[in-house]
Amino acid sequence: MDCQQELTLGRTAFGGRDFAAAFFHFGRAHGACHDDKALHLAAHWGMTRAALRRGQFKTAATQWTLGVLAWIFD
């Protein structure tokens, strides 16, 4: 699994308003991007935005919080 490819697929799905697929691909990117802080944060932000668009506010808040913690401690 390639981090950049999954981020691209997530952004494409988000642009096409397929927020479930976007969340899926950003989640896969998250798993592959732990070695690069900027990409890791991009994955969290993508999951946050996709969850917000799906009305999943608890999930969005969780991803936002995890992104902030990763930004501070990563």
Side-chain angles (χ1 to χ4, degrees), residues 18-55:
D18 186 351
F19 304 119
F23 191 89
F24 173 78
H25 287 294
F26 288 131
R28 287 177 54 103
H30 171 261
C33 292
H34 275 272
D35 293 340
D36 186 313
K37 184 175 184 175
L39 297 178
H40 182 204
L41 294 176
H44 276 293
W45 177 240
M47 287 188 287
T48 300
R49 293 184 332 143
L52 282 172
R53 291 294 184 114
R54 295 181 75 196

